[in-house]
Amino acid sequence: MHNDRIHAIHALAARAAEQPAPPARATIEDFGSDVFGEQAIRKYLPKVVAEKLLATVNSGAPLDPAIAADVAHGMKEWAVDRGATHFTHWFMPLNGGTAEKHDAFLEPAAGGKAVFAFSGKNLVLGEPDASSFPNGGIRSTFEARGYTAWDPTSPAFIKRHANGATLCIPTAFCSFGGEALDRKTPLLRSIQALKKATTRLMRCFGLPDEPVRVTLGAEQEYFLVDRAFWLQRPDLVQTGRTLFGAPPPKHQQLEDHYFGAIRPRVLKFMEEAERELWRLGIPAKTRHNEVAPAQFELAPVFEELNLAVDHNMLVMEVLRQCAERNGLVCLLHEKPFAGVNGSGKHNNWSLAYGARNLLDPGDDPAQNAIFLTVLCAVVRAIDLHADLLRTTTAGAGNDCRLGGNEAPPAVVSVFLGDQLADVVSALARGSRGAARKAGTLRVGVDTLPPLPRDATDRNRTSTFAFTGNKFEFRQPGASQPCAAANMFLNVMVADSFDRFADQLEKSPPEAFNDTLQALLRRVFRKHERVIFNGDGYSAEWVAEADRRGLPNLRDTRQAIAPLLDGANQALVAKYGVLSKVEMESRHEVALEEYERKVGIEGGIALEIARSMILPVVVDAYSKAATTLGRASADGLSAGLAGLRAEAETLGRGLDDLSSRCAGLEKALAAGDPGAVLAAMAAVRETVDALEHEVDDAAWPLPKYREMLFLY
Ligand code: ADP
Ligand code: MG
């Protein structure tokens, strides 16, 4: 086994990652120090320019193009003061990650010298070649250019490396024709649509206009494995998950990992990652051990949605890089290890109007009427468009997680908690008997009793749970960017708000209470079926959901089909978020990515099975057969049965492995993802059984009991 190639891998495992050590201590003053935020803006820009930019950042005023040159100059001065030599437009193409192409600030100057310069045009617009990013057929080959456009609402920041730093400018990425080629463009459009609809609805309640803020808190789950193990697992290196591995006797069943004491090595890593996140102005707040061994979570304080989405992309990047620096690898795949919990990204979404969280029940009846209206709008949105939301959690990785071990099912349902569900049910029935204590429930602005605050029990099994003052969507996978789910959520809720406003606006003021009451009653009645407060992980729920007619889109191909649905396309287009063509392109990108990922998994599974496992099994079998032959020639009796059984098991394993590998090869050639996944599962079954039979010292892949426990 020990040829030079293997030695090189060992050497790589031993080499310390080449990144600068972080400063020894994190102080709270460091928060945001690598961000071109309000403080830096005021310090580095002329006063009028600073005020104009801050008006855009803080209250969404249109950007004055005349300030671009001054902003660019000040931003560059700030970045150079922090050691930057280069800048990049930083964007989110449809490949699931972020993209950057660095340019030096360098400009040749007289006398063979050079200076640092950065123009307004460089800040505002970039023209990266778009031809190598997924575009789902939008970009014709003769127009290879894509355009990146500065998003001033997400502040520029600095990324550091061992020898310097780069100024990163968050941008949207579009085609020549203006079609979105990224995740930020439609997200921004959807935020605008929801803000508009919210303002309209709040006016129905007689409220003065106030700034609307869509908010997101994205909880990030991940696994850590030692880099030395990772380097010995071609499946982890190539696909992010283990394609083989027998579950060890002890995994998570003792429930001794969740919230357990964090091991010092992991804590050191977390501390470093958080220090970096704080410098980037990302409010990393909570850290803890998760349910599965070697699984962890990081949760930030919620922020404005667009910023929170960008920040989550940075969280994933910083976790990966810090892990590497610590001799670890951070796995963001949704199901790196079969048989234990997978990793999700709980998407906590809410809506604020001025200082008020519209999903906060609050104490006074007037606020409660608004709360119930918003709640009702969300319930309607989810019932009508669960399929659209489900498209955003599709993917080869999340397919391995959803509906699996302690993971939400593929059905989207709303959890309200018993008390709130009672209130809703009383409202829907409008009958005396149904309402507890409160008698018949009236939503009138002055008649509704205070709602129970924070009365929701924590249902961890719901896909879309109301958790006191926000909704938590639990289906998204750990590796998935937050943009898509929230983009559709915004559109769906905007549509509900607009339908409500259509009716409320028509009502004369004196009839407002009655109109609202009737509206909520009708809508809750119609969409109650999507509310489920029981155990979402149970098989009974899946059957019940089917009876209720809720969609259960099990795998990626089913889950992305609603992107092609005419009604969905019309809805999303109506709000100017994605055109029909853009929806279709997203379908194509998702399908292609899924097929390619499954193809890669099948390919690497076959390679591992044939070139790493098979030789070891052949060896073990021939040893066992030789020993058996000698033992019978020598006339041994007592051990013979055991030796024969061992040789037979290995022989059968060898046979199975060969034929199942042939099956996988055939499925790969046919190119059908379903068949490839089934053939991979068959090969895995044989390999995992053989893992228990073959001499431990000869097994070529690090085992689950090692990767999950030794770090
Ligand atoms: P858990 O759900 O694990 O019990 P919390 O309820 O404290 O934890 O919060 C989970 C996440 O929800 C955090 O990131 C938090 O900042 C976020 N969150 C809290 N309030 C809001 C809100 N109004 N809008 C969006 N996210 C929120
Ligand atoms: Mg949570």
Side-chain angles (χ1 to χ4, degrees):
M1 272 253 298
H2 283 268
N3 58 22
D4 287 348
R5 215 183 83 245
I6 306 288
H7 280 305
I9 296 177
H10 286 298
L12 192 58
R15 190 181 306 150
E18 288 149 2
Q19 299 209 32
R25 275 289 221 14
T27 66
I28 198 68
E29 281 76 38
D30 288 336
F31 188 86
S33 60
D34 279 348
V35 177
F36 193 61
E38 182 154 348
Q39 235 185 345
I41 287 174
R42 290 196 189 282
K43 183 161 169 213
Y44 282 86
L45 299 185
K47 196 162 185 311
V48 272
V49 176
E51 291 307 331
K52 280 188 181 172
L53 180 59
L54 287 170
T56 298
V57 174
N58 296 331
S59 32
L63 185 75
D64 175 0
I67 66 172
D70 284 334
V71 175
H73 178 75
M75 207 185 257
K76 183 227 27 178
E77 295 288 295
W78 170 79
V80 169
D81 282 352
R82 263 145 204 82
T85 50
H86 289 66
F87 72 93
T88 179
H89 280 196
W90 181 82
F91 57 102
M92 279 185 271
L94 295 177
N95 62 11
T98 55
E100 48 190 72
K101 172 181 149 239
H102 298 196
D103 278 302
F105 290 124
L106 179 141
E107 288 284 348
K113 300 297 245 181
V115 293
F116 279 156
F118 186 46
S119 72
K121 188 180 166 296
N122 285 158
L123 166 65
V124 173
L125 198 70
E127 293 185 16
D129 184 345
S131 56
S132 295
F133 293 112
N135 60 69
I138 277 187
R139 185 200 49 82
S140 47
T141 34
F142 60 83
E143 179 43 88
R145 260 177 313 181
Y147 295 84
T148 49
W150 178 35
D151 169 17
T153 60
S154 182
F157 57 90
I158 281 178
K159 269 201 210 173
R160 297 179 179 280
H161 57 91
N163 288 328
T166 305
L167 170 69
C168 299
I169 300 154
T171 53
F173 180 44
C174 301
S175 76
F176 179 69
E179 286 107 349
L181 295 174
D182 70 345
R183 299 179 190 274
K184 185 189 273 283
T185 306
L187 178 73
L188 290 172
R189 294 172 181 162
S190 78
I191 292 172
Q192 201 172 26
L194 181 57
K195 283 183 174 178
K196 198 168 148 210
T198 307
T199 304
R200 186 179 165 206
L201 183 67
M202 291 306 114
R203 283 180 187 163
C204 296
F205 283 88
L207 294 187
D209 286 358
E210 295 217 50
V212 182
R213 235 164 72 99
V214 193
T215 53
L216 171 70
E219 302 166 57
Q220 181 68 54
E221 294 181 340
Y222 59 92
F223 280 83
L224 293 174
V225 293
D226 192 281
R227 197 167 143 77
F229 288 140
W230 181 82
L231 285 166
Q232 302 292 341
R233 297 276 325 205
D235 47 359
L236 276 183
V237 172
Q238 292 259 302
T239 73
R241 73 168 169 124
T242 54
L243 301 174
F244 301 105
K250 173 189 189 307
H251 42 91
Q252 65 185 43
Q253 64 276 61
L254 299 181
E255 298 177 330
D256 52 353
H257 188 66
Y258 189 61
F259 282 13
I262 304 170
R263 293 192 200 174
R265 183 181 180 196
V266 172
L267 203 51
K268 171 177 178 285
F269 148 80
M270 287 175 164
E271 192 78 40
E272 270 178 43
E274 285 162 15
R275 229 170 278 168
E276 240 175 276
L277 293 172
W278 288 7
R279 278 210 309 271
L280 288 166
I282 299 172
K285 174 99 173 158
T286 309
R287 61 191 185 201
H288 61 82
N289 287 2
E290 257 300 332
V291 170
Q295 191 188 26
F296 308 91
E297 178 177 306
L298 178 151
V301 178
F302 69 95
E303 300 176 280
E304 187 277 321
L305 174 55
N306 176 42
L307 187 62
V309 168
D310 284 355
H311 279 176
N312 178 256
M313 299 306 286
L314 286 172
V315 164
M316 292 194 282
E317 184 176 321
V318 167
L319 286 177
R320 278 203 207 94
Q321 290 181 354
C322 273
E324 205 168 317
R325 203 156 60 209
N326 283 275
L328 296 161
V329 174
C330 173
L331 304 176
L332 293 167
H333 191 282
E334 283 76 15
K335 197 77 174 177
F337 300 98
V340 298
N341 274 21
S343 296
K345 174 141 50 200
H346 295 172
N347 186 97
N348 295 272
W349 175 95
S350 192
L351 190 59
Y353 194 69
R356 153 203 309 216
N357 177 353
L358 293 178
L359 282 172
D360 197 333
D363 300 319
D364 71 292
Q367 186 156 334
N368 283 339
I370 291 175
F371 164 72
L372 279 175
T373 307
V374 173
L375 190 78
C376 182
V378 175
V379 169
R380 175 189 178 275
I382 300 296
D383 187 36
L384 284 179
H385 307 294
D387 62 340
L388 199 50
L389 201 55
R390 173 69 178 98
T391 63
T392 66
T393 62
N398 221 16
D399 276 3
C400 305
R401 164 178 171 260
L402 292 183
N405 204 9
E406 293 204 18
V411 183
V412 182
S413 67
V414 178
F415 167 84
L416 294 181
D418 289 337
Q419 299 198 40
L420 199 53
D422 273 358
V423 171
V424 165
S425 161
L427 241 172
R429 303 284 152 275
S431 71
R432 270 158 219 286
R436 273 187 199 172
K437 292 178 216 137
T440 302
L441 209 57
R442 288 189 49 83
V443 180
V445 164
D446 39 57
T447 44
L448 189 77
L451 289 171
R453 230 178 208 285
D454 213 21
T456 52
D457 25 344
R458 302 251 152 189
N459 182 321
R460 302 205 153 267
T461 66
S462 173
T463 28
F464 201 85
F466 180 70
T467 49
N469 58 4
K470 61 190 189 296
F471 274 101
E472 180 168 355
F473 185 33
R474 294 206 175 97
Q475 243 179 20
S479 72
Q480 296 179 320
C482 303
N486 293 290
M487 152 183 87
F488 283 150
L489 196 51
N490 292 345
V491 172
M492 292 153 49
V493 174
D495 175 62
S496 284
F497 283 1
D498 276 336
R499 295 290 72 74
F500 286 9
D502 286 344
Q503 298 175 48
L504 295 172
E505 281 167 358
K506 275 189 256 154
S507 162
E510 64 280 7
F512 182 79
N513 280 354
D514 290 337
T515 310
L516 182 64
Q517 170 92 14
L519 171 73
L520 297 189
R521 186 176 158 189
R522 201 169 54 242
V523 175
F524 271 133
R525 267 201 172 171
K526 191 158 167 203
H527 299 292
E528 242 179 342
R529 64 169 190 165
V530 79
I531 299 173
F532 177 68
N533 293 307
D535 179 2
Y537 293 170
S538 70
E540 293 78 53
W541 164 234
V542 174
E544 165 69 15
D546 189 47
R547 270 194 297 282
R548 294 189 191 184
L550 303 179
N552 183 5
L553 306 171
R554 284 163 218 271
D555 69 10
T556 295
R557 279 185 295 186
Q558 291 178 21
I560 60 175
L563 289 169
L564 301 180
D565 174 80
N568 282 335
Q569 290 180 344
L571 172 77
V572 180
K574 186 177 84 182
Y575 284 96
V577 170
L578 288 175
S579 67
K580 181 171 153 52
V581 171
E582 288 169 325
M583 287 279 273
E584 281 163 1
S585 80
R586 264 146 229 260
H587 179 270
E588 194 175 317
V589 168
L591 185 63
E592 225 169 66
E593 181 190 289
Y594 171 70
E595 289 173 350
R596 287 179 184 169
K597 279 193 174 166
V598 173
I600 290 169
E601 287 188 349
I604 199 74
L606 186 61
E607 198 180 318
I608 291 173
R610 281 208 173 132
S611 71
M612 294 177 80
I613 308 294
L614 200 67
V616 174
V617 179
V618 167
D619 211 40
Y621 172 63
S622 75
K623 264 193 205 148
T626 309
T627 312
L628 177 64
R630 178 169 312 160
S632 38
D634 289 353
L636 294 192
S637 55
L640 215 51
L643 288 173
R644 177 166 298 122
E646 190 193 343
E648 275 173 15
T649 305
L650 287 167
R652 242 192 337 270
L654 190 56
D655 238 14
D656 282 352
L657 189 56
S658 303
S659 67
R660 289 178 174 194
C661 281
L664 177 54
E665 189 168 26
K666 222 169 106 195
L668 279 166
D672 169 30
V676 171
L677 288 167
M680 279 168 62
V683 174
R684 178 174 192 152
E685 190 185 39
T686 303
V687 171
D688 289 1
L690 283 165
E691 189 183 319
H692 292 301
E693 302 299 330
V694 171
D695 177 6
D696 185 66
W699 195 252
L701 298 171
K703 297 186 172 185
Y704 270 31
R705 63 161 196 262
E706 295 156 347
M707 289 182 290
L708 288 170
F709 291 95
L710 307 183
Y711 59 86

